[in-house]
Amino acid sequence: MLKDITLGQYFPGNSLLHRLDPRIKLLATVLLIVIIFLAKNMAGYGVMILLTVFLVALSRIPVKTILKSIKPLIFVVLLTVAMNIFFTGGENVVLDQKIWIIHLRLTAEGILNGVKMALRILLLIVDTGVILTYTTSPIDLTDGIERLLSPLGKIGVPVHSFAMMMSLALRFVPTLIEETDKIIAAQKSRGADFSSGNVISRVKALIPVLIPLLISSFRRADELALAMECRCYHGGKGRTKMKELKLQAKDVAFLLVLALFLAVAFLPGIPCSVFGINTMNFVF
Amino acid sequence: MAGYISIRNLSFSYKDDQKEQQALKNINLEIEKGSFVAVLGHNGSGKSTLAKLLSAILVPDEGEIVVGGLKVSDPELSEEDLLELHRRVGMVFQNPDNQLVATVVEEDVAFGPENLGIEPKEIRRRVDEALALMGISEYARHAPSKLSGGQKQRVAIAGLMAMLPECMIFDEATAMLDPSGRKEVMATVLKLNKELGITVLHITHNMEEAAMADRVVVIDDGQVLLDGTPEQVFSKVQTLQAVGLDVMQCTELLHELACCGLPFPEGVIDEEQCARLIYEYYMKTVKDKK
């Protein structure tokens, strides 16, 4: 039952986004988050939606898969929208009514704010998904993080150890899930009951699963450390990589395009004139 | 002439706060370069301790271990020498999951050479070569967690082969595998030894596997009990059984028959040979009666 869980949602493929340097993708993600939060008006959002559609098309990931990733967050989005609608004050009252003891007062500003927030969250999920989690394998990701943070190594931050720990953790996720399954089966065969009773008794029932799992993880860690030592691992010093990361023209071009979008979103005057949607700024 | 691995007067004991447990007592062994030696012993006999001492994970209390000219037993072994030792002597452990470090097979095979600081192009070449040698090229881009136990062990062996070792120590490497995985790994072990001339030390409690070796060393209670060719060692059925080791069925059958006074040799480790001997004896008795 636990086997279906996949950590990260890497979607193997060979699109341009798949082939970009992971460092660039990490930078691009940060840049996109900044752009999304800086977008001031509807024109800015329009531009971002266009960019997102473009990125999705570029990644060649089925739209269905992307919609699926949004699904678990729908509740958060709706809650944010509701909060914004009801708690934003404003001049242009749309609805002002007292229903029983609740005083409902909707304003145009509130609704607009709600829509903006919803767009913001959805764009964030889709963009980071398409650029990072769907198109970058975990190993590339840790590699990228290690290289990006390597300057910190000069001031004594153990960047290599950190990246190594992350990739080992990723490596052992499926192994530990398999083990959890086995322990659950073993406990069930001894009469353990995981599916009845209230929340507290169910949580209690998990203790006989978690403790063996913890103990065996320590044993694994011990054996793994031994095996790594026997394979000549001695930290990041003097280590090389089979696959070197090299920046290519397409990586630089991709980052430049995103920087252009940042400029557009950052200068509030430009979008209106550039995209000829002057009225948008006025109406909202 | 001293062998590739030479162990002299080796003693080791695990020390706890209260008690001291002697694991190995006064072991002397010479292992020739290019030989295939099986180390037999039941659980707790000290055979895994021997492997850990050979790869300098443990330091002996007494005695000396020299591997390929490196004095392994020296507690002040320099880091360069230690790396060189681990490059020359590959260790394959029991649990295939706990020795793979990467989420992709080829990245895992590259782990050793990467640690040695080898050029990226050369690593690529060695990885491809090691994968081809182990017959797992088609899984190069797979996740190790999707492979079978035998395949995982072959990935682990490929990872060591990419460091171009001279010797391989298999520490119960087949104990957690199913029969087909065991066959896979043993075929690989034989290939490494016979075709590539790699010195193999195979630590096991499986008789069939030990019978494949050129030489069998039986360790019991931290001491060398028997040492010789598989035929020599397995002819000592009573000695082996006394220390809790079961001999193969064919060996035991002929041993029991010989004990009944029938003219059968001891130490037969081949089922077909056993069947042939019995058949020949039967035909002879039938002929005699006529």
Side-chain angles (χ1 to χ4, degrees):
Chain A
M1 80 184 178
L2 287 168
K3 271 209 176 117
D4 307 326
I5 300 172
T6 47
L7 185 96
Q9 297 152 305
Y10 179 55
F11 195 89
N14 201 26
S15 72
L16 175 68
L17 285 183
H18 282 89
R19 282 180 281 125
L20 281 181
D21 190 304
R23 288 173 292 180
I24 292 295
K25 286 197 265 192
L26 280 163
L27 286 176
T29 310
V30 175
L31 208 58
L32 267 172
I33 293 172
V34 172
I35 299 175
I36 290 166
F37 276 101
L38 283 177
K40 284 270 183 296
N41 48 36
M42 271 307 173
Y45 282 103
V47 173
M48 287 312 299
I49 292 170
L50 275 178
L51 177 65
T52 305
V53 170
F54 173 66
L55 287 173
V56 170
L58 211 57
S59 73
R60 300 219 196 109
I61 286 166
V63 178
K64 220 171 146 188
T65 314
I66 291 167
L67 290 180
K68 240 192 215 162
S69 74
I70 296 174
K71 219 169 128 195
L73 288 154
I74 286 292
F75 176 72
V76 177
V77 174
L78 287 179
L79 190 75
T80 321
V81 172
M83 294 292 248
N84 272 284
I85 287 177
F86 293 119
F87 294 106
T88 314
E91 303 290 301
N92 307 315
V93 178
V94 178
L95 183 82
D96 197 352
Q97 216 170 24
K98 205 168 178 181
I99 306 166
W100 193 35
I101 50 161
I102 302 162
H103 186 109
L104 266 185
R105 186 171 181 275
L106 296 187
T107 62
E109 287 89 343
I111 294 173
L112 183 68
N113 254 341
V115 172
K116 275 185 182 170
M117 280 314 287
L119 272 177
R120 230 174 233 183
I121 298 174
L122 291 177
L123 285 173
L124 271 180
I125 301 169
V126 175
D127 281 344
T128 50
V130 166
I131 293 187
L132 217 56
T133 48
Y134 277 123
T135 57
T136 319
S137 71
I139 215 163
D140 283 344
L141 200 60
T142 43
D143 238 26
I145 292 172
E146 184 179 354
R147 298 296 169 95
L148 267 186
L149 297 181
S150 61
L152 290 178
K154 292 205 174 74
I155 56 166
V157 180
V159 179
H160 170 77
S161 311
F162 176 70
M164 190 46 128
M165 262 156 53
M166 246 172 75
S167 69
L168 283 178
L170 286 170
R171 148 77 184 86
F172 275 91
V173 167
T175 311
L176 290 181
I177 287 175
E178 210 173 281
E179 177 135 34
T180 313
D181 264 346
K182 263 189 212 159
I183 296 172
I184 288 177
Q187 300 292 24
K188 269 187 183 163
S189 73
R190 289 171 173 79
D193 184 6
F194 296 107
S195 49
S196 62
N198 57 18
V199 179
I200 295 170
S201 63
R202 280 194 204 190
V203 170
K204 268 189 183 162
L206 277 179
I207 293 174
V209 173
L210 292 180
I211 289 176
L213 190 66
L214 195 71
I215 292 171
S216 98
S217 304
F218 277 111
R219 196 171 304 142
R220 273 181 199 284
D222 207 33
E223 277 180 33
L224 181 73
L226 201 66
M228 283 171 72
E229 206 186 317
C230 285
R231 291 174 73 181
C232 296
Y233 182 70
H234 57 292
K237 199 181 68 189
R239 202 163 186 274
T240 49
K241 281 267 175 190
M242 176 168 73
K243 286 176 187 153
E244 281 181 307
L245 292 178
K246 273 201 189 107
L247 282 189
Q248 287 170 313
K250 59 172 187 271
D251 297 314
V252 181
F254 184 73
L255 210 56
L256 281 178
V257 170
L258 283 188
L260 193 72
F261 275 97
L262 174 70
V264 170
F266 196 59
L267 303 170
I270 293 176
C272 316
S273 48
V274 167
F275 299 99
I277 337 174
N278 283 315
T279 43
M280 300 286 271
N281 213 6
F282 175 72
V283 171
F284 301 118
Chain B
M1 194 193 105
Y4 181 70
I5 297 175
S6 115
I7 302 170
R8 279 184 214 110
N9 307 322
L10 177 71
S11 293
F12 179 82
S13 51
Y14 288 102
K15 288 173 195 79
D16 212 337
D17 286 339
Q18 295 98 27
K19 55 182 181 196
E20 195 178 306
Q21 197 178 0
Q22 185 123 37
L24 292 173
K25 287 174 220 159
N26 200 19
I27 301 250
N28 283 290
L29 268 181
E30 295 284 328
I31 291 168
E32 299 300 322
K33 200 175 170 83
S35 61
F36 178 5
V37 179
V39 178
L40 262 177
H42 63 82
N43 293 338
S45 60
K47 57 193 194 305
S48 284
T49 309
L50 184 66
K52 284 183 181 150
L53 285 162
L54 282 174
S55 50
I57 295 162
L58 297 173
V59 177
D61 301 338
E62 267 173 69
E64 190 183 58
I65 306 172
V66 178
V67 177
L70 286 171
K71 200 165 173 252
V72 178
S73 50
D74 188 356
E76 277 139 46
L77 199 67
S78 72
E79 200 180 327
E80 287 86 61
D81 283 351
L82 198 63
L83 279 181
E84 179 59 17
L85 171 75
H86 288 152
R87 185 195 71 72
R88 283 188 202 172
V89 181
M91 279 272 273
V92 184
F93 295 93
Q94 187 173 12
N95 190 331
D97 272 319
N98 298 352
Q99 42 192 323
L100 302 180
V101 293
T103 46
V104 181
V105 166
E106 62 175 11
E107 295 278 353
D108 190 84
V109 176
F111 181 73
E114 283 177 347
N115 289 334
L116 295 171
I118 287 159
E119 288 288 298
K121 267 187 197 147
E122 170 70 8
I123 298 182
R124 181 77 252 177
R125 198 186 62 77
R126 285 194 190 182
V127 167
D128 291 341
E129 219 167 69
L131 287 171
L133 186 72
M134 292 297 117
I136 45 175
S137 299
E138 55 184 307
Y139 309 116
R141 305 284 309 151
H142 285 224
S145 55
K146 298 255 157 70
L147 302 180
S148 73
Q151 287 167 337
K152 281 183 206 168
Q153 273 316 35
R154 281 194 284 164
V155 173
I157 298 169
L160 298 168
M161 288 309 293
M163 294 195 285
L164 311 178
E166 294 166 354
C167 171
M168 293 276 249
I169 300 175
F170 295 85
D171 186 2
E172 302 249 18
T174 56
M176 285 181 76
L177 304 180
D178 55 10
S180 71
R182 236 172 238 193
K183 234 178 238 168
E184 251 175 76
V185 171
M186 284 319 288
T188 312
V189 171
L190 280 173
K191 189 174 170 184
L192 294 183
N193 179 251
K194 301 288 176 259
E195 290 174 25
L196 299 164
I198 286 172
T199 313
V200 171
L201 201 63
H202 186 71
I203 295 169
T204 181
H205 55 246
N206 184 308
M207 293 295 152
E208 274 107 60
E209 288 172 13
M212 294 181 196
D214 308 328
R215 177 179 165 196
V216 178
V217 176
V218 180
I219 290 189
D220 183 62
D221 199 21
Q223 281 169 312
V224 176
L225 186 72
L226 294 168
D227 184 355
T229 64
E231 287 81 6
Q232 288 168 348
V233 168
F234 291 127
S235 61
K236 310 266 191 335
V237 175
Q238 270 150 351
T239 320
L240 287 170
Q241 282 175 341
V243 298
L245 288 169
D246 276 324
V247 292
M248 275 182 288
Q249 280 178 328
C250 59
T251 320
E252 193 177 0
L253 174 65
L254 291 185
H255 167 74
E256 293 294 335
L257 290 173
C259 285
C260 298
L262 296 176
F264 284 116
E266 297 269 7
V268 174
I269 51 167
D270 185 34
E271 276 174 24
E272 261 174 52
Q273 193 194 346
C274 165
R276 207 173 48 241
L277 284 167
I278 293 173
Y279 174 74
E280 277 166 9
Y281 176 73
Y282 174 74
M283 291 311 276
K284 214 181 103 206
T285 46
V286 169
K287 212 187 270 173
D288 288 352
K289 268 186 188 163
K290 278 182 184 169

